[in-house]
Amino acid sequence: MKQLDIEALDQQDCLAHKRREFVLPSETIYLDGNSLGPLTVQAQRRVRDVTEQQWGSDLIQSWNKHGWIDLAQRCGEKIAPLLGAAAGQVVCCDSVSVNLFKLLACAMQLNPERNKIVSQAANFPTDLYMLEGLQRMLGAQHCQIELSSSEDLQSCLDDSVAVLLLTQVDFRSGEMLDIAEWTAAAHQHGIQVVWDLSHSAGALELELDHWRVDFAVGCGYKYFNGGPGAPAFVYVNAKHQPNIEQPLSGWMGHRAPFEFEPAYQAASGVKKFLSGTPNILSLAALDASLEVFADVSMAQLRAKSIGLSQAFLQLLTSAPELHELRCVSPLDAQQRGSQLSFEFNHAYGLCQALIERGVIGDFRAPNIIRFGFAPLYLSYADIAQAVAIMIDVISHEGHLEARHSERKAVT
Ligand SMILES: *Cc1c(COP(=O)(O)O)cnc(C)c1O
């Protein structure tokens, strides 16, 4: 294998200047942007302005004066092009979990003769938990759930299925599904598809309109750097919008909330997916952070993310000290999202020992250490240094030290 020229890679990096737009502590190599994106300079400024000037001084007038009332929609319109979506189909609100509930219920309405929802057994737990909740509410005779392995998924798709719920990038392995292919396969049987893009949006090139996606949700606090608990986004294909009623019909999704009518009448368009009063502080941070994407293309981001992860993999596999780490992500970069995951007996201890040395990745039970490669603020030098530190930790058995074995509430 060709020796990597880290310096040259950094010199050729057309995104290198973007790092200045992030507030990152020095001496930290942040390989966890797939769990919580870092603070952006823009978000820090905006939150200060929203608290001091808007909330602090203009108080309730800010709903009109500073456009708080339609921030959820404006934020959605900023995200739309990053998903390959035309205007009028994306709005930001609530969490991925809550939005999954809304979308699954709507997708079921479009197939009233059918009662089955198919998903992956290895899906992110909250997706499965929300499915269970929907089933408890509708009753098992109206909502049957079938969970499949990725190998058997194709054979589960037939004309009895109402809805297919898939997550594009597996949170454990990083394995990536082909959205166009699976959506088309489902549509052949008249199945509505809901995509969870939590580990995709802001990292991968997406073409939701072109791929004829029905519904999608995704995360505001991962690659979009919206801050802890940032609102999620909802994508609803325009062709479905007139034909569905979402179940959490709160006043912000009403046609005219300030008419205070006793009966609910849904707003037209994707706005009907709003429920309660938007989270202005969080939305403002997300809206400001999205500015970072204004002058870059998703193709540039994806290319660098692949470059970073391939460099990491090459350095790691050529280090004999690290041969006990077994890569469980697809080795072909086109088959995985923006992360690499490794099985390792002492994954938790290694993760903690690395954090102590400033290399932040995360641990996923039972034995996986996971690294995310967010291309907007990582350099190739960071990657080389992270691997060097990992070699140092493992060769000095830092990962076996007792203080690294105590499991914290959040891993
Ligand atoms: C992070 C993540 C979520 C998060 O859901 P919240 O309700 O916003 O906490 C959901 N699904 C997947 C696949 C995720 O990776």
Side-chain angles (χ1 to χ4, degrees):
M1 214 181 288
K2 210 165 112 256
Q3 191 81 26
L4 285 172
D5 186 344
I6 296 293
E7 224 168 280
L9 286 166
D10 274 329
Q11 267 161 16
Q12 291 152 16
D13 175 11
C14 64
L15 296 173
H17 63 288
K18 300 297 286 183
R19 187 187 181 105
R20 289 196 295 275
E21 297 177 38
F22 290 84
V23 180
L24 281 159
S26 56
E27 310 294 315
T28 294
I29 300 173
Y30 195 61
L31 304 179
D32 219 352
N34 51 326
S35 267
L36 175 69
L39 176 63
T40 61
V41 174
Q42 295 255 31
Q44 190 173 45
R45 267 194 216 132
R46 182 82 69 86
V47 169
R48 194 175 296 139
D49 180 55
V50 171
T51 50
E52 287 176 7
Q53 181 56 41
Q54 301 185 5
W55 184 19
S57 176
D58 295 332
L59 290 159
I60 200 166
Q61 292 99 293
S62 297
W63 286 103
N64 293 315
K65 187 172 174 186
H66 299 294
W68 287 358
I69 195 63
D70 50 19
L71 185 55
Q73 287 135 283
R74 289 206 311 277
C75 211
E77 296 303 359
K78 256 189 204 172
I79 288 178
L82 306 174
L83 308 177
Q89 302 178 108
V90 182
V91 71
C92 288
C93 55
D94 303 318
S95 58
V96 171
S97 305
V98 170
N99 290 324
L100 278 169
F101 186 82
K102 299 175 198 168
L103 293 186
L104 289 166
C106 288
M108 291 291 274
Q109 287 162 23
L110 291 172
N111 263 333
E113 310 297 318
R114 307 180 184 185
N115 68 357
K116 196 195 286 180
I117 303 182
V118 170
S119 192
Q120 303 141 294
N123 205 340
F124 192 84
T126 205
D127 298 54
L128 302 178
Y129 303 159
M130 295 311 290
L131 270 180
E132 281 182 40
L134 184 68
Q135 183 182 50
R136 274 195 299 276
M137 198 184 72
L138 296 177
Q141 75 275 29
H142 298 296
C143 180
Q144 220 188 311
I145 299 172
E146 186 172 338
L147 299 181
S148 156
S149 64
S150 14
E151 298 78 47
D152 295 339
L153 194 53
Q154 182 67 52
S155 64
C156 293
L157 304 184
D158 60 35
D159 291 8
S160 72
V161 178
V163 180
L164 175 62
L165 167 62
L166 294 177
T167 294
Q168 188 194 12
V169 177
D170 183 284
F171 77 103
R172 286 191 191 86
S173 68
E175 187 179 344
M176 182 168 77
L177 298 181
D178 185 323
I179 295 185
E181 212 170 273
W182 283 104
T183 303
H187 285 173
Q188 278 192 350
H189 296 284
I191 301 168
Q192 298 291 327
V193 193
V194 179
W195 283 99
D196 185 335
L197 304 176
S198 293
H199 277 285
S200 314
L204 304 179
E205 291 176 90
L206 298 168
E207 293 290 342
L208 299 193
D209 287 350
H210 181 61
W211 295 335
R212 308 171 66 85
V213 166
D214 301 297
F215 303 99
V217 289
C219 217
Y221 56 80
K222 289 175 181 159
Y223 294 106
F224 283 149
N225 312 307
F233 67 83
V234 178
Y235 164 92
V236 181
N237 193 304
K239 73 179 175 203
H240 292 318
Q241 291 176 11
N243 312 320
I244 48 179
E245 293 268 2
Q246 69 103 343
L248 304 181
S249 45
W251 71 316
M252 285 295 150
H254 191 279
R255 195 183 52 127
F258 290 91
E259 298 297 325
F260 296 101
E261 290 166 0
Y264 182 76
Q265 281 196 315
S268 63
V270 76
K271 184 176 174 231
K272 72 170 103 170
F273 282 83
L274 299 183
S275 295
T277 304
N279 242 305
I280 295 301
L281 297 182
S282 279
L283 259 179
L286 173 60
D287 185 63
S289 280
L290 287 167
E291 291 295 326
V292 166
F293 291 84
D295 60 351
V296 295
S297 72
M298 290 312 303
Q300 287 173 319
L301 297 191
R302 176 64 172 155
K304 181 171 169 194
S305 146
I306 289 177
L308 293 169
S309 67
Q310 288 298 83
F312 187 88
L313 202 52
Q314 183 173 337
L315 293 169
L316 187 138
T317 43
S318 54
E321 299 88 341
L322 301 181
H323 73 232
E324 276 178 44
L325 278 100
R326 198 176 73 78
C327 186
V328 294
S329 301
L331 296 179
D332 174 1
Q334 306 298 335
Q335 305 288 318
R336 63 173 191 253
S338 196
Q339 74 183 61
L340 283 170
S341 303
F342 301 87
E343 265 177 10
F344 183 59
N345 272 346
H346 305 282
Y348 189 78
L350 176 58
C351 195
Q352 292 303 312
L354 287 174
I355 290 171
E356 197 175 80
R357 301 279 305 269
V359 178
I360 304 182
D362 59 23
F363 165 79
R364 285 294 172 262
N367 61 347
I368 285 182
I369 183 162
R370 189 177 73 161
F371 302 101
F373 301 91
L376 285 165
Y377 46 83
L378 288 171
S379 65
Y380 288 89
D382 290 331
I383 297 304
Q385 186 164 7
V387 176
I389 290 174
M390 187 146 48
I391 293 172
D392 194 51
V393 165
I394 290 194
S395 44
H396 292 93
E397 299 196 335
H399 59 296
L400 298 177
E401 286 176 32
R403 69 179 188 286
H404 295 316
S405 62
E406 198 179 315
R407 195 75 66 90
K408 301 198 172 84
V410 175
T411 62

